[in-house]
Amino acid sequence: MKNEAVKIYQSNTINLLMQFDTKHNAAYGDMFQLQYFVGKEDNGLYISVRPPQNYTGDLTMEDFAFTGTTHRLLTYIRELFTLRKTEEIDFSVKDYMLRCELKDRKQARKQLERDLFALLAVVYTSPRGRAAILDSFDMHHGRVYAVLNQGFVDEMAKQDYFLLPMEYFSLNRQKYNYAPALLYYMVMLKYLNKNKTNKDRISIRSLLAYGKFPTIEEVRATRNNSIKGRIVEPFFRNLNALSSVARFKFHDERGNKLTQEEVQQLQYDDMLRVIIHIEWK
C-alpha cells in the first residue's frame, strides 16, 4: 500500500463497533435505551444506546444515531490516540474539516456534535467486560475536547494496528454511502489475513454483507424493487469510488479472470460467486 495512510489501533471489539449502526442493526428496548447485538453469537458485542447520564437536552433517541459519519469520527479519534497515547483527546474543527474535506463549517460542526453525542451514548459489553467509548466531551473556541473511557483505552492499548488509507476520511458519504465501509473491510481483512495468500482477495458476497447493502428479499419487498438499481449498480459505483487507492480484478469461482464486458454484464446471482483480487496503489 503506497498511498498515504494513517496508523490506527484495532481489535476485534473495535472492528465490531465499526460494523455497528443504529439504522441497520436490529434493536430492542424502549424510548430511553435501545439494545443491539453485533457479530457472531459466541464472539459478539452487546451495545446499549441511551442518553448520557445527567443529559438534560431535548434530543430524542434518533439524535444519537450511530452512522457512517460516526464511524469516521471514531476512526479519527483512534488515530489521535495511536499518535498521542493519552485518553484526553483534543483537536480543532478546522483540522477535522480539512482531513474529511468538508466545506460548510456550520454543517460540519453540527454533524461533529451529533457524532460526539452518538459516541457518548454507547455502552458495550465484550468478552473483556463492560465499557464505553467516551466519558465526556466539550466543544468551544473551535476545538473538541474529549475524554476516552478507560475500557476503550485498554482495548486500543494492545498496540495492534493496521494502516488505513487517508481517502477513508475524505470519501463523499452522501454520494458514495457504502464506499467507506467497503474500504475499511478490505483493509481490515488484509491485516487479519496478513500471513495468508488470500489477504488481498475478497468475495462480492461478503462485501455486500459488510457494507449493509439491502438484501434481495428487502428489495423485493419494496415498491422500488429493482435489484440492478438497488444492489448491482450501487455496488460497482461505490467500488469505483475507491479507484484512487486500489485496482480491482474480478475472477469467477474457478479462478478465471473476467473481462470488463463480462463484469458489466454480471447479474445479481452471478455477482455472489465473484472473487475480487485487490492491487493496492
Side-chain angles (χ1 to χ4, degrees):
M1 191 179 298
K2 299 178 181 179
N3 278 9
E4 190 174 0
V6 297
K7 184 170 76 172
I8 55 172
Y9 288 149
Q10 70 86 42
S11 71
N12 181 62
T13 293
I14 293 174
N15 290 334
L16 287 173
L17 285 170
M18 291 294 291
Q19 293 180 43
F20 169 62
D21 74 67
T22 49
K23 178 180 179 181
H24 294 96
N25 290 103
Y28 58 96
D30 55 37
M31 62 181 294
F32 302 106
Q33 179 168 286
L34 295 176
Q35 307 282 339
Y36 301 84
F37 180 79
V38 181
K40 298 180 180 179
E41 186 175 344
D42 60 343
N43 192 28
L45 205 62
Y46 291 92
I47 298 175
S48 298
V49 176
R50 77 285 180 267
Q53 190 174 11
N54 300 324
Y55 177 72
T56 57
D58 57 358
L59 297 180
T60 67
M61 288 300 293
E62 292 182 359
D63 294 303
F64 296 105
F66 209 97
T67 67
T69 58
T70 319
H71 294 153
R72 178 175 62 189
L73 175 58
L74 177 59
T75 305
Y76 187 68
I77 288 173
R78 289 163 59 196
E79 178 197 350
L80 295 180
F81 177 83
T82 304
L83 289 170
R84 303 173 186 174
K85 310 290 194 302
T86 174
E87 71 274 12
E88 296 182 356
I89 300 295
D90 72 276
F91 58 91
S92 72
V93 176
K94 181 179 179 181
D95 285 346
Y96 187 70
M97 289 180 64
L98 288 172
R99 168 62 66 82
C100 303
E101 296 186 8
L102 304 175
K103 307 300 182 185
D104 187 324
R105 183 177 177 84
K106 183 178 180 181
Q107 183 59 36
R109 192 185 189 285
K110 181 179 179 180
Q111 185 63 61
L112 187 54
E113 186 174 31
R114 283 286 181 90
D115 289 330
L116 284 163
F117 270 120
L119 293 177
L120 188 62
V122 162
V123 173
Y124 62 88
T125 302
S126 73
R128 293 171 61 89
R130 187 175 173 85
I133 299 174
L134 295 184
D135 281 341
S136 64
F137 80 85
D138 191 16
M139 294 180 68
H140 58 264
H141 303 302
R143 294 192 71 82
V144 173
Y145 301 87
V147 179
L148 300 178
N149 180 267
Q150 187 59 49
F152 189 65
V153 169
D154 292 342
E155 197 66 49
M156 290 190 290
K158 297 176 180 179
Q159 301 192 21
D160 197 10
Y161 67 87
F162 56 62
L163 298 175
L164 183 68
M166 292 278 280
E167 283 83 352
Y168 171 83
F169 296 97
S170 57
L171 283 165
N172 186 327
R173 280 157 171 76
Q174 290 185 323
K175 189 174 182 180
Y176 305 110
N177 55 319
Y178 298 108
L182 298 183
L183 177 57
Y184 187 91
Y185 188 49
M186 292 175 189
V187 173
M188 181 182 74
L189 285 189
K190 179 181 177 66
Y191 170 78
L192 295 177
N193 295 325
K194 59 186 176 183
N195 297 320
K196 299 180 181 179
T197 57
N198 65 344
K199 62 182 179 181
D200 290 318
R201 299 176 189 174
I202 192 168
S203 69
I204 289 182
R205 181 189 292 271
S206 64
L207 284 171
L208 289 173
Y210 188 91
K212 295 185 172 66
F213 285 80
T215 65
I216 193 169
E217 293 79 14
E218 289 169 340
V219 171
R220 286 172 173 167
T222 62
R223 181 175 298 179
N224 180 12
N225 59 5
S226 168
I227 296 171
K228 182 178 181 180
R230 296 278 307 282
I231 303 177
V232 179
E233 291 177 345
F235 174 78
F236 285 105
R237 183 167 61 248
N238 279 267
L239 191 68
N240 289 336
L242 306 178
S243 60
S244 64
V245 297
R247 283 182 289 270
F248 305 106
K249 296 181 178 180
F250 303 85
H251 297 253
D252 64 22
E253 66 268 36
R254 295 182 297 276
N256 300 315
K257 184 180 177 181
L258 303 180
T259 66
Q260 185 174 358
E261 183 179 1
E262 288 173 325
V263 173
Q264 292 173 345
Q265 294 176 352
L266 284 173
Q267 301 298 310
Y268 176 77
D269 289 340
D270 300 321
M271 284 175 58
L272 300 182
R273 296 189 292 271
V274 170
I275 303 297
I276 300 177
H277 291 206
I278 305 168
E279 294 182 355
W280 298 98
K281 296 182 179 179

